[in-house]
Amino acid sequence: MRAVFRQAVRDVRTAPPPPPVDPPADPALAALRAVVDDLAASTHAIDELMLEVAPAYLSDTDAADVLAPLCEAIGEELEHGLAARRYAMSGDRRSLHGTVL
């Protein structure tokens, strides 16, 4: 069942787009682009993890109880974990406003 759910989430929400084919000529801009790409990829993985641990049928209050130990273990604020979960469910980037994942 987890595999089916995980695949459904992936089907609905695609992974971050690949980096552009032509790297920027400015080395500082290329380094910044690499950091942003890494951040987007790790955010995508965290979103899936949060939704797997606290499925969509749970309310935010119930999800907070389930996610609190995980967030503490990985050094993430609970509010950021809940925002990542909401983003995984909706795909709406506004749910990540104010967080840096």
Side-chain angles (χ1 to χ4, degrees):
M1 189 62 149
R2 280 187 180 174
V4 171
F5 181 74
R6 193 176 299 145
Q7 186 61 45
V9 169
R10 285 190 185 116
D11 290 346
V12 170
R13 203 177 136 246
T14 60
V21 176
D22 297 328
D26 183 6
L29 185 57
L32 181 59
R33 181 172 286 166
V35 168
V36 169
D37 291 341
D38 288 344
L39 182 61
S42 66
T43 299
H44 183 73
I46 289 173
D47 297 347
E48 287 185 346
L49 174 66
M50 295 299 166
L51 190 56
E52 183 177 333
V53 171
Y57 65 83
L58 294 176
S59 68
D60 270 359
T61 304
D62 292 337
D65 293 339
V66 174
L67 291 177
L70 173 63
C71 289
E72 185 177 329
I74 64 172
E76 188 64 65
E77 291 183 30
L78 179 59
E79 285 304 314
H80 294 180
L82 289 169
R85 178 179 170 266
R86 285 189 293 272
Y87 179 56
M89 289 188 294
S90 68
D92 187 346
R93 288 182 184 233
R94 292 176 293 180
S95 61
L96 295 174
H97 181 73
T99 67
V100 178
L101 297 170

